[in-house]
Amino acid sequence: MAERSPLWAIFVLPALLIAVAVVTAGFDAALAAGARNGRRGSLREAAVRAAEPGREVLRLLVQQPRRTRASDVPLARTGAALLPVAAVLAAVVLPLGFRSVSDLPEGIVWFNAMEALAWAAVWLAGWGPNSTLSLIGGYRFLAQGLAYELPHMLAITTAALGAESLRVGDVVEAQAGVWFAVWMPAAFGIYLLSAMAMAFWGPFDQPAGHDIAGGAASELSGADRVLFLGGRWLLLVVAASFSVPLFLGGGHGPLLPGWAWTVLKTAAVLAFLVWVRRRVPTLRMDRYLELAWVVLTPLAIVQALVVAVVVLNR
């Protein structure tokens, strides 16, 4: 069981997540600029490129807000604000090393429930502006959710099954010897795929795709847009971070303290997801839906059955 963090950790958690999201966004911006220019550039150039997300946030905050005709402003704003809230709430069960803000007995269920809140957030942000483009983006996210959610739930349930507990701290403790990624490789791979889909990232960015001028976020402007896009980065950070206690042993590792291992493993997963975004083109949802039902879901069921047999024979 993970130790409970002091009360002040509740206030530190959002700041920590925002800091990680800013660093990840800067890293992604530096890679994108390097790819556009066809060269890596000097350290100074990389630093300037990495600051682009910060400049974009400042530009949006001073931007004159715009509204579509007959838009439902409270609904759109609720959707934009709900996305970062869902990401932060999902993170309260994430252990840093062996400490978490709250090691709930049903921590894995809690994380999954906050994902459902993110579904609602993206759909509300797409519905509120009364615009065809944003509405299509919102519905695309719902379609994407139907494609990834079942194998995703099976993957995280498999980790809970291996630990015989829904408490995230117990899942970490169960990996003191061998990481779950070693003997649950299919569940780990499926989780990483669904983590990208959950944050509509990389090959799963259709809900915010350029083919429909920005998708669910197309009509958001100013602070609303900052909240929505910032929430997407937070969701990516939280989804990537959750793979560490689920499959990569959490804070377990030699020599370094637990929190350092958690940070290193999370950074590695985030770097991998950023790399995938640059290497894999956007997938059409109908094709991913077919892959999810024909390949990923049966594979996740087989993986869960294998783990169940091992657990029953302990």
Side-chain angles (χ1 to χ4, degrees):
M1 184 185 298
E3 298 177 36
R4 186 164 187 172
S5 298
L7 190 61
W8 51 262
I10 297 173
F11 304 100
V12 171
L13 178 65
L16 184 61
L17 290 174
I18 290 171
V20 176
V22 168
V23 171
T24 309
F27 176 60
D28 181 63
L31 287 182
R36 281 198 305 271
N37 298 334
R39 60 187 179 86
R40 294 183 179 178
S42 64
L43 282 177
R44 182 178 175 280
E45 288 175 323
V48 171
R49 293 165 181 168
E52 283 181 13
R55 289 194 291 273
E56 178 65 10
V57 168
L58 292 177
R59 185 188 71 79
L60 288 172
L61 289 178
V62 299
Q63 183 185 51
Q64 181 70 29
R66 56 185 170 81
R67 297 279 178 266
T68 49
R69 181 175 296 179
S71 64
D72 191 329
V73 177
L75 202 65
R77 284 188 165 168
T78 300
L82 201 56
L83 198 59
V85 169
V88 172
L89 288 177
V92 300
V93 296
L94 276 174
L96 178 60
F98 303 102
R99 284 177 175 269
S100 60
V101 171
S102 179
D103 192 22
L104 295 172
E106 304 85 9
I108 288 179
V109 178
W110 171 268
F111 178 82
N112 206 225
M114 293 306 107
E115 285 183 64
L117 202 59
W119 282 35
V122 177
W123 189 81
L124 288 177
W127 178 274
N130 190 33
S131 162
T132 304
L133 297 178
S134 63
L135 186 60
I136 291 174
Y139 274 118
R140 277 184 171 182
F141 188 68
L142 293 186
Q144 184 160 294
L146 293 175
Y148 83 78
E149 188 60 28
L150 187 56
H152 173 76
M153 287 178 63
L154 285 166
I156 62 177
T157 303
T158 302
L161 183 62
E164 300 180 60
S165 173
L166 290 170
R167 191 189 294 271
V168 180
D170 292 342
V171 176
V172 172
E173 282 306 310
Q175 299 174 75
V178 181
W179 296 358
F180 283 174
V182 175
W183 65 292
M184 303 178 190
F188 179 50
I190 290 169
Y191 178 83
L192 289 182
L193 279 176
S194 56
M196 287 188 283
M198 178 179 160
F200 40 110
W201 176 263
F204 307 101
D205 65 353
Q206 266 205 334
H210 295 296
D211 61 327
I212 49 172
S218 61
E219 304 297 349
L220 297 177
S221 60
D224 296 336
R225 190 173 180 83
V226 171
L227 280 173
F228 185 84
L229 297 182
R232 181 194 191 188
W233 280 102
L234 289 177
L235 211 54
L236 178 72
V237 169
V238 172
S241 303
F242 204 57
S243 70
V244 175
L246 278 187
F247 296 102
L248 298 176
H252 289 294
L255 303 177
L256 298 176
W259 65 265
W261 276 114
T262 301
V263 170
L264 286 174
K265 293 170 185 176
T266 301
V269 174
L270 278 171
F272 173 73
L273 297 186
V274 170
W275 177 80
V276 169
R277 185 191 194 191
R278 310 249 152 251
R279 296 292 176 181
V280 183
T282 300
L283 289 176
R284 272 175 42 191
M285 263 316 100
D286 57 324
R287 291 182 177 171
Y288 183 62
L289 192 62
E290 184 177 357
L291 175 71
W293 282 107
V294 176
V295 179
L296 298 183
T297 300
L299 186 62
I301 292 173
V302 170
Q303 175 75 91
L305 289 174
V306 169
V307 173
V309 170
V310 172
V311 170
L312 288 173
N313 285 281
R314 278 176 180 168

